[in-house]
């Protein structure tokens, strides 16, 4: 069976030392691609699949992955 993400999304991320958080693009230190999958219970969860220096680079990576 082929495994695929339901979708990919790009989010700006910032390191706060003890945690990282999704933030607005203007506050981001990098941009992460998250792939969303459905669990056995039917809910959706995200898996970080890559970090990039810019939103544009992350979006190109999503396109290259076919999303």
């Amino acid at each position: 069976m082929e495994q695929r993400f339901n979708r990919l999304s790009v989010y700006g991320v910032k390191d706060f030392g003890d945690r990282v958080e999704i933030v607005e693009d203007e506050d981001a230190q990098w941009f992460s691609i998250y792939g969303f999958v459905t669990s056995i219970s039917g809910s959706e969860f995200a898996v970080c699949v890559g970090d990039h220096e810019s939103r544009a680079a992350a979006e190109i990576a999503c396109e290259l992955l076919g999303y």
Side-chain angles (χ1 to χ4, degrees):
M1 181 168 102
E2 182 179 299
Q3 298 292 321
R4 293 188 54 89
F5 293 113
N6 299 329
R7 61 191 168 91
L8 295 180
S9 291
V10 175
Y11 295 100
V13 179
K14 185 172 183 175
D15 184 352
F16 289 94
D18 60 338
R19 69 193 186 288
V20 296
E21 290 184 12
I22 293 173
V23 296
E24 297 295 325
D25 284 6
E26 58 271 6
D27 296 324
Q29 292 174 304
W30 67 88
F31 293 84
S32 296
I33 299 172
Y34 291 90
F36 290 83
V37 295
T38 304
S39 70
I40 293 171
S41 68
S43 62
E44 193 174 58
F45 66 94
V47 177
C48 184
V49 295
D51 298 324
H52 299 272
E53 291 185 18
S54 69
R55 173 172 284 283
E59 289 174 350
I60 289 170
C62 287
E63 288 179 31
L64 290 170
L65 291 168
Y67 290 87

